[in-house]
Amino acid sequence: MTKFFVPRGTQDIYGPEIKKWHSVEQRVRDLCERFNVEEMRTPMYEHTEVFARKDDASDVVNKEMYTFIIKRGEGESPSLTLKPEGTAGLIRSYVEHKLFASGPSYQRYYYIAPNFRYERPQKGRMRIHHQFGVEFLGNPSAYADVEAITLGLNVLKDLQITQYKVLINTLGDRESQDAYQVRLRDHFKDSIDTMCPDCQRRYVQNPLRILDCKVDQQHEALISAPSNVDSLSQESLNYFENLKNLLDESGIQYEVDSRLVRGLDYYNHTVFEVVSTDPSIGAQSTIFAGGRYNHLVEYYGGPEVSAFGFGMGIERLLLLCDDSIFDLETHIDVYGMAMDQESLSTVFNAINDVRSKGFSADLDMEGKSMKAKFKMSDRLNAKVLLICGGEERSNGQVNLKNQTTKEQVTIPVSDVALQLEKWGI
């Protein structure tokens, strides 16, 4: 007999675990509403060109995308790609629907969606991983950077995650990045042949990516690589100083990491990571990260619009959360019990009626013993028991028992919802 099982790098989520997911997602949505950030949902896949931008040196684009050929007549692109990250599709939508022209100049969006990356599965890193992300569009100042980072830190506060540190850096503007790339190519030219194949590719496409290499971290050339400080324009230096001042004023502690470049090529000016300092978390310590990208809207055919965003992995958050912050038990308002098979129809209809009036309810339809019915009501933490036997059925009534006050009443079936309201259920 064939055995079917979940694919490597994926997982099934159910039982108490799904309650944790619901809780995290609801807290995130509530925070975004508090910050007046709107949700946007984009397709699970896009035309490959949305992600595979020209000369992109990132591992996400070059090594980790799930791409497939489409049938003729479905569009100009010969292939589609399951989205490996959330920003590109959202910006594509922002440009396609001309949202920059139809709304306020400063627009803020969030998404909660699965991403797909072909990489080695690890604790907290799956091939299908779920991400909460925000994109703040239209504000060129560091205030937007700090507002977004503050929102992310509020998520951690709400989930009682306290062991972390904030790392920041600046990549500078285009002029600064171009100057730094020249310096890096000159620095690595005599040693690039001794570095990994990915670094050799990055040397041609974007030598900044070499700084993010996980294979050659101890390579002498990488250790001695120059910082970008001397390549930064005055405008870039001013922007970074303003960012640090705003973080200070907001009471956000941070460390400057001059080697921080992030994993995608479209960033400029601010990049940041919030990493766990919990020793039990292991190698995958980044909780959320992102930065500023002022030229991506133009790339997709829109006007010049500055932007800032971050992505936060739900799986990673759940690793860091203590289960005590979640209510993992089931709670319902009413549990229905028929004392005999003939009374099941009365109970069934009564339960569906209270459901239609906004109460959560369930019932036994399997004819279990009364002992088993009571045990199930306890497992479901039912606030009220709805019981019906032959006498109640013949009189068009049911018996209600308030499990908190122990008050018990026998009332017409039509009055159940009224009695629940009277009890404040």
Side-chain angles (χ1 to χ4, degrees):
M1 182 176 179
T2 302
K3 183 178 180 180
F4 297 96
F5 50 87
V6 67
R8 184 168 183 253
T10 67
Q11 62 179 330
D12 298 315
I13 307 168
Y14 56 91
E17 196 67 20
I18 200 67
K19 294 180 183 295
K20 299 179 190 178
W21 283 72
H22 289 165
S23 178
V24 169
E25 291 168 3
Q26 189 57 54
R27 292 165 193 246
V28 163
R29 294 183 189 281
D30 290 345
L31 273 170
C32 285
E33 183 174 351
R34 198 184 307 166
F35 276 70
N36 193 31
V37 181
E38 298 182 9
E39 183 179 10
M40 181 185 288
R41 301 187 185 186
T42 58
M44 290 297 101
Y45 55 80
E46 301 271 357
H47 291 293
T48 300
E49 291 82 0
V50 171
F51 305 114
R53 293 170 293 276
K54 184 179 179 182
D55 293 329
D56 195 308
S58 66
D59 284 353
V60 170
V61 170
N62 285 276
K63 299 166 63 176
E64 299 173 2
M65 297 200 311
Y66 284 94
T67 297
F68 53 95
I69 305 301
I70 62 175
K71 296 178 180 179
R72 292 182 179 179
E74 291 193 21
E76 296 180 0
S77 174
S79 68
L80 297 172
T81 295
L82 297 174
K83 63 180 178 184
E85 52 98 5
T87 301
L90 190 145
I91 300 302
R92 186 271 310 154
S93 178
Y94 176 78
V95 172
E96 179 179 351
H97 301 294
K98 294 182 172 59
L99 299 179
F100 51 82
S102 60
S105 57
Y106 186 33
Q107 299 182 30
R108 291 165 291 186
Y109 298 98
Y110 79 91
Y111 57 84
I112 302 173
N115 288 341
F116 306 82
R117 295 186 187 181
Y118 186 80
E119 54 186 344
R120 183 170 64 88
Q122 301 177 53
K123 181 181 179 182
R125 172 181 282 184
M126 308 293 284
R127 287 178 174 171
I128 300 179
H129 71 276
H130 298 75
Q131 196 170 80
F132 158 59
V134 303
E135 313 297 342
F136 288 9
L137 305 163
N139 187 332
S141 78
Y143 279 103
D145 306 23
V146 176
E147 183 178 39
I149 293 171
T150 301
L151 192 160
L153 294 178
N154 269 265
V155 173
L156 303 192
K157 180 180 179 181
D158 198 51
L159 293 172
Q160 298 180 29
I161 297 172
T162 58
Q163 292 181 279
Y164 64 82
K165 61 182 178 180
V166 179
L167 304 178
I168 64 169
N169 191 27
T170 178
L171 301 180
D173 53 21
R174 276 181 170 172
E175 174 190 343
S176 302
Q177 290 189 35
D178 289 345
Y180 189 39
Q181 286 190 19
V182 171
R183 292 184 65 206
L184 287 175
R185 284 198 175 97
D186 182 63
H187 172 78
F188 287 116
K189 67 180 179 181
D190 294 330
S191 55
I192 192 64
D193 291 341
T194 66
M195 303 183 77
C196 74
D198 284 329
C199 281
Q200 294 175 29
R201 169 179 55 79
R202 295 163 183 153
Y203 180 82
V204 176
Q205 292 179 307
N206 182 356
L208 269 74
R209 297 264 66 79
I210 297 175
L211 303 178
D212 201 34
C213 180
K214 303 299 186 288
V215 176
D216 287 326
Q217 278 296 309
Q218 301 305 313
H219 195 289
E220 182 180 347
L222 194 55
I223 294 173
S224 61
S227 166
N228 72 336
V229 174
D230 294 334
S231 302
L232 294 173
S233 66
Q234 190 59 50
E235 178 187 347
S236 298
L237 290 169
N238 291 344
Y239 191 97
F240 195 46
E241 284 302 313
N242 189 32
L243 170 73
K244 291 187 287 184
N245 289 336
L246 290 175
L247 289 170
D248 291 337
E249 292 172 6
S250 299
I252 297 173
Q253 297 183 343
Y254 60 87
E255 297 176 16
V256 177
D257 181 352
S258 61
R259 292 299 182 90
L260 181 61
V261 295
R262 296 298 303 138
L264 293 163
D265 270 5
Y266 47 66
Y267 290 116
N268 61 283
H269 284 303
T270 307
V271 287
F272 81 96
E273 289 186 1
V274 177
V275 298
S276 174
T277 56
D278 183 343
S280 67
I281 195 61
Q284 299 305 315
S285 61
T286 302
I287 307 174
F288 71 101
R292 177 160 286 279
Y293 53 96
N294 288 346
H295 307 292
L296 202 56
V297 173
E298 293 175 77
Y299 178 88
Y300 292 112
E304 183 178 341
V305 175
S306 58
F308 187 93
F310 70 71
M312 178 183 293
I314 304 295
E315 287 87 349
R316 197 75 53 81
L317 280 179
L318 289 168
L319 280 178
L320 294 164
C321 290
D322 191 303
D323 283 356
S324 64
I325 72 168
F326 301 114
D327 183 357
L328 302 180
E329 294 185 340
T330 299
H331 300 269
I332 64 171
D333 295 323
V334 184
Y335 187 72
M337 306 178 183
M339 299 187 70
D340 51 59
Q341 191 62 28
E342 293 76 14
S343 302
L344 180 57
S345 177
T346 300
V347 174
F348 183 81
N349 291 329
I351 289 297
N352 277 328
D353 181 62
V354 297
R355 285 168 172 166
S356 72
K357 293 179 170 63
F359 298 96
S360 59
D362 202 354
L363 75 157
D364 168 57
M365 293 187 287
E366 303 174 57
K368 295 178 180 178
S369 68
M370 289 305 292
K371 181 178 179 180
K373 295 179 199 287
F374 279 107
K375 185 176 291 186
M376 178 58 72
S377 71
D378 289 340
R379 186 180 302 170
L380 296 175
N381 293 293
K383 298 176 184 176
V384 173
L385 303 183
L386 184 152
I387 305 171
C388 182
E391 182 178 348
E392 290 87 2
R393 183 183 73 254
S394 63
N395 293 325
Q397 296 177 319
V398 293
N399 186 280
L400 293 186
K401 182 179 180 181
N402 188 316
Q403 292 290 79
T404 302
T405 66
K406 305 306 178 183
E407 182 180 354
Q408 195 164 326
V409 295
T410 301
I411 59 174
V413 177
S414 58
D415 291 346
V416 171
L418 291 174
Q419 184 62 44
L420 295 176
E421 291 174 1
K422 181 180 178 181
W423 279 340
I425 302 301

